[in-house]
Amino acid sequence: MKKTLAAGLVGLSLSFGLMAAAPALAQAPAALSTETTPIETLVANPAAKAVLEKNIPGITTHEAYDQFKAMTLTQVAPMSQGALTDEIIKKVQADLDALPK
């Protein structure tokens, strides 16, 4: 009986250990996106920041950066008075997609 109980507890603890590890395995980093990734998150990634500065020079030093940094590029575009076009956003996304994973 003790052996059966011990084996059951070991199996149970292994199951819980695997279940605890499963969410960590399932949570792969999200792809960088002009539609879903906030600008400040892109800026925090050196490679993504370089993409932004290449396609939108001065974005991180813009006087209103603190006001729009929590937004995505697609959210900012309509408020940019034509400075952030669909073409620029597509170029940024293509460059983000080309970054090493």
Side-chain angles (χ1 to χ4, degrees), residues 34-35 51 55-56 73-74 77 84-98:
T34 57
E35 292 182 7
V51 166
N55 291 288
I56 314 166
L73 288 174
T74 55
L84 192 54
T85 64
D86 287 342
E87 182 180 330
I88 291 171
I89 291 174
K90 287 177 185 175
K91 286 180 184 178
V92 170
Q93 187 61 60
D95 288 349
L96 291 174
D97 291 342

Side-chain angles (χ1 to χ4, degrees), residues 12-79:
L12 185 60
S13 66
L14 287 176
S15 295
F16 278 118
L18 291 175
M19 287 189 306
L25 295 174
Q27 294 176 357
L32 299 175
S33 168
T34 57
E35 292 182 7
T36 60
T37 308
I39 294 167
E40 63 189 337
T41 302
L42 295 174
V43 170
N45 176 318
K49 181 180 179 181
V51 166
L52 289 179
E53 288 293 346
K54 172 186 155 195
N55 291 288
I56 314 166
I59 188 169
T60 60
T61 57
H62 190 280
E63 59 191 29
Y65 178 75
D66 285 338
Q67 296 171 4
F68 64 75
K69 69 182 180 181
M71 300 171 71
T72 68
L73 288 174
T74 55
Q75 290 172 325
V76 172
M79 297 175 255

